[in-house]
Amino acid sequence: MARLEEACDVERFDGDGVISHDELVARVAGKQGLIAMVTDMVDRAVIEAGTSLKVIANAAVGYNNIDVAAARARGIVVTNTPGVLTDATADLTWALILAVTRRLGEGERWVRTREWPGWAFDQLLGMELRGKQLGIVGFGRIGRAVADRAAAFGMTVAHTSRSGDGIPMDRLLSTSDVVSLHVPLTADTRHLIDQAALARMKRTAYLVNTSRGPVVDEAALAWALKNRLIAGAGLDVYEREPIVHDELFALENVVLAPHLGSATSETRTAMADLAVRNAIAVLSGEAPITPVT
Ligand code: GLV
């Protein structure tokens, strides 16, 4: 905020939670720059109301919350925050992989009931990671960072990728013991993991999603978890955040995290810093640092 206030007049949303769409539409009028969060839907209506906008700086790497085509058509630069959140998101992915394969959520809930009877030889047995295959869907910065950490756990890695140097999706699904999603949300990736994809996975396999909720058909996932089509899932993102598919709450074999991928002090500071520098660059007539291309 201090850096922004040095460079321009700043109007900030100080309300609780997320600014309403109506208020965003009303307040974007007359502004040259907009710094947005993933929860702000910067759709055509917002962009059309922002007739003076020169830059929309998203404080996130994903930018599915922004109608980039509408912005581009009006000559508005859109920027995101790639790179600075790669490690934090990869670490959180591993936290979910470990939590779901070692039944940590289930165990924690048990201890909190004050009714855990104590250690037992065959209690809450999970799946060992060593020697298993980690399937990475989307081999960009974050997917690669997740893959880099796999050696420490003795896992082999398979991946799909847009450039076609990976293995086909069907094969990845049918051979992996953990499937982790790292694709951006686009028209092509919406419901990439649907009932058919889940049916292709091993019954002993786990699904982890730290990308975007709509990449997974949440109703199909709940069904698959309930019917033990797969062994479990670790989710950080949901189809209609903050709403979580109701059936998931009753299932022990799913770990539910509240969209924490980039939530470390270091990373959120770096994201804020990069979004601010992008906005100021464009407003000063300079090139953006990390434009969405
Ligand atoms: C967070 O979800 C991001 O895309 O940075």
Side-chain angles (χ1 to χ4, degrees), residues 21-260:
H21 188 257
D22 285 351
E23 192 177 345
L24 183 55
V25 167
R27 287 173 65 172
V28 77
K31 308 295 192 300
Q32 281 83 46
L34 173 65
I35 295 188
M37 307 295 140
V38 282
T39 41
D40 299 321
M41 284 304 140
V42 185
D43 57 10
R44 184 173 294 272
V46 173
I47 289 165
E48 280 173 359
T51 49
S52 309
L53 278 178
K54 291 189 168 60
V55 59
I56 300 167
N58 213 32
V61 67
Y63 47 83
N64 54 288
N65 58 311
I66 298 175
D67 188 335
V68 176
R72 188 166 298 148
R74 284 161 186 77
I76 302 167
V77 176
V78 178
T79 66
N80 65 340
T81 60
V84 295
L85 44 65
T86 302
D87 285 329
T89 309
D91 288 349
L92 197 274
T93 303
W94 276 98
L96 284 175
I97 293 172
L98 289 162
V100 69
T101 58
R102 299 302 300 273
R103 305 173 66 175
L104 198 56
E106 230 178 310
E108 220 248 357
R109 283 189 290 281
W110 196 5
V111 172
R112 283 179 188 273
T113 64
R114 300 173 195 260
E115 281 167 14
W116 172 57
W119 187 91
F121 198 73
D122 57 353
Q123 190 177 86
L124 285 184
L125 304 184
M127 183 188 80
E128 188 102 11
L129 295 180
R130 184 162 300 277
K132 302 295 194 312
Q133 177 174 305
L134 171 62
I136 297 190
V137 181
F139 209 52
R141 279 176 298 262
I142 298 171
R144 282 167 209 264
V146 171
D148 286 346
R149 287 152 171 76
F153 294 97
M155 293 188 84
T156 58
V157 176
H159 67 87
T160 63
S161 81
R162 270 186 295 210
S163 57
D165 64 341
I167 69 170
M169 180 73 173
D170 282 5
R171 191 140 71 84
L172 181 137
L173 290 172
S174 62
T175 58
S176 295
D177 301 292
V178 176
V179 173
S180 191
L181 307 176
H182 302 287
V183 289
L185 174 61
T186 65
D188 290 340
T189 62
R190 185 174 295 273
H191 284 195
L192 181 69
I193 303 299
D194 56 8
Q195 196 167 326
L198 290 160
R200 250 175 228 120
M201 288 175 63
K202 296 185 184 183
R203 293 187 89 97
T204 49
Y206 297 84
L207 178 73
V208 171
N209 188 13
T210 56
S211 63
R212 282 292 183 267
V215 173
V216 176
D217 178 341
E218 219 167 273
L221 175 63
W223 176 84
L225 288 168
K226 206 160 136 186
N227 293 289
R228 295 279 168 173
L229 232 67
I230 64 171
L235 305 177
D236 190 41
V237 287
Y238 304 89
E239 260 197 276
R240 292 186 301 138
E241 292 175 19
I243 296 167
V244 175
H245 193 277
D246 203 58
E247 286 176 32
L248 294 178
F249 292 113
L251 297 171
E252 290 289 5
N253 55 344
V254 60
V255 177
L256 306 171
H259 202 148
L260 292 175

